[in-house]
PDB file of all heavy atoms in Angstrom:
ATOM      1  N   ASP C 142     105.289-229.678  -2.340  1.00  0.00           N
ATOM      2  CA  ASP C 142     103.892-229.852  -2.567  1.00  0.00           C
ATOM      3  C   ASP C 142     103.475-230.976  -1.645  1.00  0.00           C
ATOM      4  O   ASP C 142     103.934-232.134  -1.790  1.00  0.00           O
ATOM      5  CB  ASP C 142     103.608-230.160  -4.045  1.00  0.00           C
ATOM      6  CG  ASP C 142     102.081-229.973  -4.310  1.00  0.00           C
ATOM      7  OD1 ASP C 142     101.362-230.945  -4.050  1.00  0.00           O
ATOM      8  OD2 ASP C 142     101.724-228.899  -4.718  1.00  0.00           O
ATOM      9  N   PHE C 151      86.960-235.629  12.067  1.00  0.00           N
ATOM     10  CA  PHE C 151      86.543-234.262  12.446  1.00  0.00           C
ATOM     11  C   PHE C 151      86.910-234.116  13.956  1.00  0.00           C
ATOM     12  O   PHE C 151      86.596-234.932  14.792  1.00  0.00           O
ATOM     13  CB  PHE C 151      85.073-234.083  12.274  1.00  0.00           C
ATOM     14  CG  PHE C 151      84.736-233.822  10.833  1.00  0.00           C
ATOM     15  CD1 PHE C 151      84.663-234.801   9.957  1.00  0.00           C
ATOM     16  CD2 PHE C 151      84.523-232.495  10.420  1.00  0.00           C
ATOM     17  CE1 PHE C 151      84.310-234.543   8.588  1.00  0.00           C
ATOM     18  CE2 PHE C 151      84.180-232.272   9.118  1.00  0.00           C
ATOM     19  CZ  PHE C 151      84.106-233.258   8.224  1.00  0.00           C
ATOM     20  N   ARG C 181      98.375-217.761   1.544  1.00  0.00           N
ATOM     21  CA  ARG C 181      96.962-217.698   0.935  1.00  0.00           C
ATOM     22  C   ARG C 181      96.332-218.982   1.215  1.00  0.00           C
ATOM     23  O   ARG C 181      96.948-220.095   0.949  1.00  0.00           O
ATOM     24  CB  ARG C 181      97.039-217.488  -0.647  1.00  0.00           C
ATOM     25  CG  ARG C 181      97.387-216.179  -1.141  1.00  0.00           C
ATOM     26  CD  ARG C 181      97.355-216.173  -2.635  1.00  0.00           C
ATOM     27  NE  ARG C 181      97.897-214.972  -3.240  1.00  0.00           N
ATOM     28  CZ  ARG C 181      97.092-213.853  -3.471  1.00  0.00           C
ATOM     29  NH1 ARG C 181      95.790-213.855  -3.140  1.00  0.00           N
ATOM     30  NH2 ARG C 181      97.619-212.810  -3.983  1.00  0.00           N
ATOM     31  N   HIS C 197      93.181-225.606   0.790  1.00  0.00           N
ATOM     32  CA  HIS C 197      94.467-225.419   0.062  1.00  0.00           C
ATOM     33  C   HIS C 197      95.172-224.264   0.539  1.00  0.00           C
ATOM     34  O   HIS C 197      94.648-223.160   0.625  1.00  0.00           O
ATOM     35  CB  HIS C 197      94.232-225.257  -1.487  1.00  0.00           C
ATOM     36  CG  HIS C 197      93.800-226.576  -2.175  1.00  0.00           C
ATOM     37  ND1 HIS C 197      94.718-227.420  -2.710  1.00  0.00           N
ATOM     38  CD2 HIS C 197      92.573-227.116  -2.366  1.00  0.00           C
ATOM     39  CE1 HIS C 197      94.114-228.429  -3.277  1.00  0.00           C
ATOM     40  NE2 HIS C 197      92.754-228.275  -3.094  1.00  0.00           N
ATOM     41  N   TYR C 267     115.633-233.926 -20.827  1.00  0.00           N
ATOM     42  CA  TYR C 267     115.247-234.537 -19.505  1.00  0.00           C
ATOM     43  C   TYR C 267     116.304-235.551 -19.116  1.00  0.00           C
ATOM     44  O   TYR C 267     116.780-236.331 -19.935  1.00  0.00           O
ATOM     45  CB  TYR C 267     113.861-235.231 -19.599  1.00  0.00           C
ATOM     46  CG  TYR C 267     112.814-234.227 -20.045  1.00  0.00           C
ATOM     47  CD1 TYR C 267     112.507-234.031 -21.318  1.00  0.00           C
ATOM     48  CD2 TYR C 267     112.184-233.472 -19.055  1.00  0.00           C
ATOM     49  CE1 TYR C 267     111.600-233.048 -21.702  1.00  0.00           C
ATOM     50  CE2 TYR C 267     111.210-232.568 -19.453  1.00  0.00           C
ATOM     51  CZ  TYR C 267     110.899-232.335 -20.750  1.00  0.00           C
ATOM     52  OH  TYR C 267     110.033-231.412 -21.075  1.00  0.00           O
ATOM     53  N   ASN C 324      88.822-215.419   1.838  1.00  0.00           N
ATOM     54  CA  ASN C 324      88.641-216.166   0.571  1.00  0.00           C
ATOM     55  C   ASN C 324      89.878-216.244  -0.246  1.00  0.00           C
ATOM     56  O   ASN C 324      89.808-216.159  -1.521  1.00  0.00           O
ATOM     57  CB  ASN C 324      87.457-215.527  -0.188  1.00  0.00           C
ATOM     58  CG  ASN C 324      86.997-216.499  -1.326  1.00  0.00           C
ATOM     59  OD1 ASN C 324      87.251-217.689  -1.231  1.00  0.00           O
ATOM     60  ND2 ASN C 324      86.438-215.952  -2.345  1.00  0.00           N
ATOM     61  N   ASP C 326      92.752-214.181   0.023  1.00  0.00           N
ATOM     62  CA  ASP C 326      93.613-212.972  -0.178  1.00  0.00           C
ATOM     63  C   ASP C 326      94.940-213.253   0.567  1.00  0.00           C
ATOM     64  O   ASP C 326      94.999-213.955   1.552  1.00  0.00           O
ATOM     65  CB  ASP C 326      92.902-211.746   0.347  1.00  0.00           C
ATOM     66  CG  ASP C 326      91.903-211.225  -0.586  1.00  0.00           C
ATOM     67  OD1 ASP C 326      91.881-211.638  -1.785  1.00  0.00           O
ATOM     68  OD2 ASP C 326      91.071-210.408  -0.198  1.00  0.00           O
TER      69      ASP C 326
ATOM     70  N   ASP D 142      88.928-232.094  -6.955  1.00  0.00           N
ATOM     71  CA  ASP D 142      90.309-231.835  -6.734  1.00  0.00           C
ATOM     72  C   ASP D 142      91.074-232.670  -7.756  1.00  0.00           C
ATOM     73  O   ASP D 142      91.019-233.907  -7.764  1.00  0.00           O
ATOM     74  CB  ASP D 142      90.813-232.253  -5.312  1.00  0.00           C
ATOM     75  CG  ASP D 142      92.126-231.587  -4.982  1.00  0.00           C
ATOM     76  OD1 ASP D 142      93.177-232.254  -5.304  1.00  0.00           O
ATOM     77  OD2 ASP D 142      92.095-230.485  -4.455  1.00  0.00           O
ATOM     78  N   PHE D 151     107.954-229.977 -21.604  1.00  0.00           N
ATOM     79  CA  PHE D 151     107.894-228.524 -21.829  1.00  0.00           C
ATOM     80  C   PHE D 151     107.449-228.340 -23.376  1.00  0.00           C
ATOM     81  O   PHE D 151     107.983-228.912 -24.230  1.00  0.00           O
ATOM     82  CB  PHE D 151     109.219-227.925 -21.582  1.00  0.00           C
ATOM     83  CG  PHE D 151     109.480-227.710 -20.159  1.00  0.00           C
ATOM     84  CD1 PHE D 151     109.962-228.788 -19.338  1.00  0.00           C
ATOM     85  CD2 PHE D 151     109.245-226.535 -19.549  1.00  0.00           C
ATOM     86  CE1 PHE D 151     110.173-228.594 -18.001  1.00  0.00           C
ATOM     87  CE2 PHE D 151     109.496-226.304 -18.236  1.00  0.00           C
ATOM     88  CZ  PHE D 151     109.965-227.335 -17.440  1.00  0.00           C
ATOM     89  N   ARG D 181      91.610-218.208  -9.139  1.00  0.00           N
ATOM     90  CA  ARG D 181      92.887-217.759  -8.523  1.00  0.00           C
ATOM     91  C   ARG D 181      93.934-218.797  -8.978  1.00  0.00           C
ATOM     92  O   ARG D 181      93.703-219.966  -8.909  1.00  0.00           O
ATOM     93  CB  ARG D 181      92.826-217.836  -7.046  1.00  0.00           C
ATOM     94  CG  ARG D 181      92.031-216.710  -6.362  1.00  0.00           C
ATOM     95  CD  ARG D 181      92.106-216.933  -4.833  1.00  0.00           C
ATOM     96  NE  ARG D 181      91.232-215.968  -4.076  1.00  0.00           N
ATOM     97  CZ  ARG D 181      91.615-214.791  -3.768  1.00  0.00           C
ATOM     98  NH1 ARG D 181      92.823-214.303  -3.971  1.00  0.00           N
ATOM     99  NH2 ARG D 181      90.778-214.002  -3.058  1.00  0.00           N
ATOM    100  N   HIS D 197      99.034-223.967  -9.254  1.00  0.00           N
ATOM    101  CA  HIS D 197      97.824-224.351  -8.562  1.00  0.00           C
ATOM    102  C   HIS D 197      96.665-223.393  -8.945  1.00  0.00           C
ATOM    103  O   HIS D 197      96.827-222.181  -8.860  1.00  0.00           O
ATOM    104  CB  HIS D 197      98.060-224.306  -7.092  1.00  0.00           C
ATOM    105  CG  HIS D 197      98.885-225.415  -6.498  1.00  0.00           C
ATOM    106  ND1 HIS D 197      98.241-226.591  -6.071  1.00  0.00           N
ATOM    107  CD2 HIS D 197     100.158-225.590  -6.316  1.00  0.00           C
ATOM    108  CE1 HIS D 197      99.180-227.417  -5.645  1.00  0.00           C
ATOM    109  NE2 HIS D 197     100.364-226.849  -5.803  1.00  0.00           N
ATOM    110  N   TYR D 267      80.939-241.755  10.609  1.00  0.00           N
ATOM    111  CA  TYR D 267      81.472-242.012   9.296  1.00  0.00           C
ATOM    112  C   TYR D 267      80.824-243.297   8.706  1.00  0.00           C
ATOM    113  O   TYR D 267      80.637-244.194   9.476  1.00  0.00           O
ATOM    114  CB  TYR D 267      83.015-242.228   9.367  1.00  0.00           C
ATOM    115  CG  TYR D 267      83.677-240.999   9.928  1.00  0.00           C
ATOM    116  CD1 TYR D 267      83.931-240.882  11.232  1.00  0.00           C
ATOM    117  CD2 TYR D 267      84.024-239.990   9.016  1.00  0.00           C
ATOM    118  CE1 TYR D 267      84.522-239.686  11.721  1.00  0.00           C
ATOM    119  CE2 TYR D 267      84.578-238.836   9.491  1.00  0.00           C
ATOM    120  CZ  TYR D 267      84.878-238.715  10.852  1.00  0.00           C
ATOM    121  OH  TYR D 267      85.403-237.565  11.321  1.00  0.00           O
ATOM    122  N   ASN D 324      99.894-212.866  -9.027  1.00  0.00           N
ATOM    123  CA  ASN D 324     100.333-213.638  -7.910  1.00  0.00           C
ATOM    124  C   ASN D 324      99.157-214.278  -7.089  1.00  0.00           C
ATOM    125  O   ASN D 324      99.234-214.297  -5.822  1.00  0.00           O
ATOM    126  CB  ASN D 324     101.268-212.826  -7.045  1.00  0.00           C
ATOM    127  CG  ASN D 324     101.992-213.692  -6.000  1.00  0.00           C
ATOM    128  OD1 ASN D 324     102.147-214.950  -6.180  1.00  0.00           O
ATOM    129  ND2 ASN D 324     102.347-213.130  -4.891  1.00  0.00           N
ATOM    130  N   ASP D 326      95.798-213.192  -7.146  1.00  0.00           N
ATOM    131  CA  ASP D 326      94.583-212.366  -6.762  1.00  0.00           C
ATOM    132  C   ASP D 326      93.413-212.964  -7.629  1.00  0.00           C
ATOM    133  O   ASP D 326      93.545-213.560  -8.698  1.00  0.00           O
ATOM    134  CB  ASP D 326      94.808-210.948  -7.220  1.00  0.00           C
ATOM    135  CG  ASP D 326      95.695-210.248  -6.123  1.00  0.00           C
ATOM    136  OD1 ASP D 326      95.863-210.806  -5.050  1.00  0.00           O
ATOM    137  OD2 ASP D 326      96.189-209.146  -6.453  1.00  0.00           O
TER     138      ASP D 326
END
Side-chain angles (χ1 to χ4, degrees):
Chain C
D142 197 275
F151 282 80
R181 285 180 186 273
H197 283 272
Y267 300 91
N324 192 26
D326 283 346
Chain D
D142 197 274
F151 282 80
R181 285 181 187 272
H197 283 272
Y267 301 91
N324 192 26
D326 283 347

